[in-house]
Amino acid sequence: VASFFFIGLMSMMIPLCHVFGGLIAVCLFMGLFDGCFICIMAPIAFELVGAQDVSQAIGFLLGLMSIPMTVGPPIAGFLRDHLGTYDVAFYLAGVPPIIGGAILCSIPWVHERQKSKER
């Protein structure tokens, strides 16, 4: 969850980098946290759907991730054409991972409620 929050935060920090060294540091941390997120994606899917459907869940997650990866760059270009800067695109790109992190934070609470209802 922390890696997902940091991915969003690092995306939002890219427009604030006015020195090349700062951009390198932000990209380094963003790559580190992105790698952490990809590594924990399979255990999260396993926990949510169980061993039987984990391969289908990972495929579904990757398929859903492909939509913003495909649509995002043209939208960023459109925003750049109308606003004259990519800053808003980077700020908007940081919002979904932060929201996703907040949703992931709620998963243990939901599982605990379900277990308490079953008892």
Side-chain angles (χ1 to χ4, degrees), residues 100-114:
I103 291 171
L104 283 173
C105 281
S106 69
I107 289 174
W109 178 72
V110 170
H111 276 278
E112 191 62 37
R113 281 190 74 197
Q114 287 178 347

PDB file of all heavy atoms in Angstrom, residues 100-114:
ATOM      1  N   GLY A 100      -6.113   4.331  -5.223  1.00  0.00           N
ATOM      2  CA  GLY A 100      -5.955   2.878  -5.158  1.00  0.00           C
ATOM      3  C   GLY A 100      -5.328   2.432  -3.854  1.00  0.00           C
ATOM      4  O   GLY A 100      -5.718   1.408  -3.280  1.00  0.00           O
ATOM      5  N   GLY A 101      -4.350   3.192  -3.365  1.00  0.00           N
ATOM      6  CA  GLY A 101      -3.738   2.882  -2.078  1.00  0.00           C
ATOM      7  C   GLY A 101      -4.733   2.989  -0.940  1.00  0.00           C
ATOM      8  O   GLY A 101      -4.730   2.173  -0.017  1.00  0.00           O
ATOM      9  N   ALA A 102      -5.595   3.998  -1.014  1.00  0.00           N
ATOM     10  CA  ALA A 102      -6.625   4.152   0.016  1.00  0.00           C
ATOM     11  C   ALA A 102      -7.599   2.976  -0.022  1.00  0.00           C
ATOM     12  O   ALA A 102      -8.019   2.467   1.028  1.00  0.00           O
ATOM     13  CB  ALA A 102      -7.361   5.475  -0.175  1.00  0.00           C
ATOM     14  N   ILE A 103      -7.941   2.524  -1.210  1.00  0.00           N
ATOM     15  CA  ILE A 103      -8.837   1.373  -1.330  1.00  0.00           C
ATOM     16  C   ILE A 103      -8.158   0.112  -0.805  1.00  0.00           C
ATOM     17  O   ILE A 103      -8.780  -0.701  -0.104  1.00  0.00           O
ATOM     18  CB  ILE A 103      -9.303   1.195  -2.797  1.00  0.00           C
ATOM     19  CG1 ILE A 103     -10.232   2.351  -3.184  1.00  0.00           C
ATOM     20  CG2 ILE A 103      -9.989  -0.151  -3.004  1.00  0.00           C
ATOM     21  CD1 ILE A 103     -10.575   2.408  -4.657  1.00  0.00           C
ATOM     22  N   LEU A 104      -6.867  -0.053  -1.121  1.00  0.00           N
ATOM     23  CA  LEU A 104      -6.140  -1.220  -0.616  1.00  0.00           C
ATOM     24  C   LEU A 104      -6.042  -1.215   0.905  1.00  0.00           C
ATOM     25  O   LEU A 104      -6.005  -2.277   1.530  1.00  0.00           O
ATOM     26  CB  LEU A 104      -4.736  -1.273  -1.222  1.00  0.00           C
ATOM     27  CG  LEU A 104      -4.637  -1.767  -2.655  1.00  0.00           C
ATOM     28  CD1 LEU A 104      -3.217  -1.602  -3.171  1.00  0.00           C
ATOM     29  CD2 LEU A 104      -5.075  -3.211  -2.765  1.00  0.00           C
ATOM     30  N   CYS A 105      -6.008  -0.027   1.496  1.00  0.00           N
ATOM     31  CA  CYS A 105      -5.981   0.064   2.964  1.00  0.00           C
ATOM     32  C   CYS A 105      -7.263  -0.481   3.579  1.00  0.00           C
ATOM     33  O   CYS A 105      -7.255  -0.975   4.704  1.00  0.00           O
ATOM     34  CB  CYS A 105      -5.795   1.518   3.407  1.00  0.00           C
ATOM     35  SG  CYS A 105      -4.113   2.096   3.301  1.00  0.00           S
ATOM     36  N   SER A 106      -8.360  -0.396   2.849  1.00  0.00           N
ATOM     37  CA  SER A 106      -9.637  -0.833   3.396  1.00  0.00           C
ATOM     38  C   SER A 106      -9.853  -2.342   3.276  1.00  0.00           C
ATOM     39  O   SER A 106     -10.747  -2.885   3.918  1.00  0.00           O
ATOM     40  CB  SER A 106     -10.787  -0.089   2.708  1.00  0.00           C
ATOM     41  OG  SER A 106     -10.901  -0.506   1.356  1.00  0.00           O
ATOM     42  N   ILE A 107      -9.048  -3.043   2.494  1.00  0.00           N
ATOM     43  CA  ILE A 107      -9.257  -4.479   2.274  1.00  0.00           C
ATOM     44  C   ILE A 107      -9.160  -5.291   3.568  1.00  0.00           C
ATOM     45  O   ILE A 107     -10.034  -6.123   3.830  1.00  0.00           O
ATOM     46  CB  ILE A 107      -8.313  -5.016   1.176  1.00  0.00           C
ATOM     47  CG1 ILE A 107      -8.767  -4.480  -0.177  1.00  0.00           C
ATOM     48  CG2 ILE A 107      -8.283  -6.535   1.155  1.00  0.00           C
ATOM     49  CD1 ILE A 107      -7.849  -4.817  -1.317  1.00  0.00           C
ATOM     50  N   PRO A 108      -8.135  -5.086   4.413  1.00  0.00           N
ATOM     51  CA  PRO A 108      -8.109  -5.869   5.665  1.00  0.00           C
ATOM     52  C   PRO A 108      -9.332  -5.609   6.545  1.00  0.00           C
ATOM     53  O   PRO A 108      -9.843  -6.531   7.191  1.00  0.00           O
ATOM     54  CB  PRO A 108      -6.830  -5.402   6.362  1.00  0.00           C
ATOM     55  CG  PRO A 108      -5.977  -4.853   5.289  1.00  0.00           C
ATOM     56  CD  PRO A 108      -6.920  -4.302   4.264  1.00  0.00           C
ATOM     57  N   TRP A 109      -9.809  -4.389   6.572  1.00  0.00           N
ATOM     58  CA  TRP A 109     -10.995  -4.052   7.361  1.00  0.00           C
ATOM     59  C   TRP A 109     -12.216  -4.793   6.829  1.00  0.00           C
ATOM     60  O   TRP A 109     -13.012  -5.336   7.605  1.00  0.00           O
ATOM     61  CB  TRP A 109     -11.201  -2.541   7.319  1.00  0.00           C
ATOM     62  CG  TRP A 109     -12.411  -2.082   8.057  1.00  0.00           C
ATOM     63  CD1 TRP A 109     -12.589  -2.048   9.404  1.00  0.00           C
ATOM     64  CD2 TRP A 109     -13.629  -1.603   7.481  1.00  0.00           C
ATOM     65  NE1 TRP A 109     -13.842  -1.566   9.704  1.00  0.00           N
ATOM     66  CE2 TRP A 109     -14.492  -1.281   8.535  1.00  0.00           C
ATOM     67  CE3 TRP A 109     -14.057  -1.399   6.174  1.00  0.00           C
ATOM     68  CZ2 TRP A 109     -15.769  -0.785   8.321  1.00  0.00           C
ATOM     69  CZ3 TRP A 109     -15.326  -0.902   5.965  1.00  0.00           C
ATOM     70  CH2 TRP A 109     -16.167  -0.606   7.027  1.00  0.00           C
ATOM     71  N   VAL A 110     -12.377  -4.847   5.496  1.00  0.00           N
ATOM     72  CA  VAL A 110     -13.512  -5.554   4.894  1.00  0.00           C
ATOM     73  C   VAL A 110     -13.424  -7.053   5.182  1.00  0.00           C
ATOM     74  O   VAL A 110     -14.426  -7.686   5.534  1.00  0.00           O
ATOM     75  CB  VAL A 110     -13.576  -5.272   3.370  1.00  0.00           C
ATOM     76  CG1 VAL A 110     -14.580  -6.173   2.686  1.00  0.00           C
ATOM     77  CG2 VAL A 110     -13.888  -3.807   3.105  1.00  0.00           C
ATOM     78  N   HIS A 111     -12.216  -7.636   5.069  1.00  0.00           N
ATOM     79  CA  HIS A 111     -12.051  -9.058   5.366  1.00  0.00           C
ATOM     80  C   HIS A 111     -12.376  -9.355   6.830  1.00  0.00           C
ATOM     81  O   HIS A 111     -12.996 -10.374   7.136  1.00  0.00           O
ATOM     82  CB  HIS A 111     -10.623  -9.514   5.051  1.00  0.00           C
ATOM     83  CG  HIS A 111     -10.419  -9.863   3.617  1.00  0.00           C
ATOM     84  ND1 HIS A 111     -10.765 -11.079   3.102  1.00  0.00           N
ATOM     85  CD2 HIS A 111      -9.911  -9.156   2.585  1.00  0.00           C
ATOM     86  CE1 HIS A 111     -10.482 -11.116   1.826  1.00  0.00           C
ATOM     87  NE2 HIS A 111      -9.950  -9.943   1.476  1.00  0.00           N
ATOM     88  N   GLU A 112     -11.971  -8.479   7.717  1.00  0.00           N
ATOM     89  CA  GLU A 112     -12.261  -8.675   9.146  1.00  0.00           C
ATOM     90  C   GLU A 112     -13.760  -8.614   9.417  1.00  0.00           C
ATOM     91  O   GLU A 112     -14.292  -9.403  10.203  1.00  0.00           O
ATOM     92  CB  GLU A 112     -11.518  -7.631   9.977  1.00  0.00           C
ATOM     93  CG  GLU A 112     -11.534  -7.911  11.452  1.00  0.00           C
ATOM     94  CD  GLU A 112     -10.860  -9.223  11.816  1.00  0.00           C
ATOM     95  OE1 GLU A 112      -9.854  -9.567  11.175  1.00  0.00           O
ATOM     96  OE2 GLU A 112     -11.351  -9.903  12.730  1.00  0.00           O
ATOM     97  N   ARG A 113     -14.443  -7.704   8.747  1.00  0.00           N
ATOM     98  CA  ARG A 113     -15.906  -7.629   8.911  1.00  0.00           C
ATOM     99  C   ARG A 113     -16.602  -8.876   8.402  1.00  0.00           C
ATOM    100  O   ARG A 113     -17.551  -9.360   9.008  1.00  0.00           O
ATOM    101  CB  ARG A 113     -16.465  -6.390   8.185  1.00  0.00           C
ATOM    102  CG  ARG A 113     -16.273  -5.112   8.962  1.00  0.00           C
ATOM    103  CD  ARG A 113     -17.027  -3.979   8.355  1.00  0.00           C
ATOM    104  NE  ARG A 113     -18.454  -4.128   8.619  1.00  0.00           N
ATOM    105  CZ  ARG A 113     -19.387  -3.494   7.964  1.00  0.00           C
ATOM    106  NH1 ARG A 113     -19.086  -2.651   7.001  1.00  0.00           N
ATOM    107  NH2 ARG A 113     -20.670  -3.653   8.253  1.00  0.00           N
ATOM    108  N   GLN A 114     -16.112  -9.403   7.272  1.00  0.00           N
ATOM    109  CA  GLN A 114     -16.708 -10.623   6.720  1.00  0.00           C
ATOM    110  C   GLN A 114     -16.484 -11.807   7.640  1.00  0.00           C
ATOM    111  O   GLN A 114     -17.387 -12.629   7.842  1.00  0.00           O
ATOM    112  CB  GLN A 114     -16.153 -10.914   5.331  1.00  0.00           C
ATOM    113  CG  GLN A 114     -16.660  -9.996   4.259  1.00  0.00           C
ATOM    114  CD  GLN A 114     -16.046 -10.273   2.906  1.00  0.00           C
ATOM    115  OE1 GLN A 114     -15.063 -11.004   2.797  1.00  0.00           O
ATOM    116  NE2 GLN A 114     -16.614  -9.687   1.867  1.00  0.00           N
TER     117      GLN A 114
END
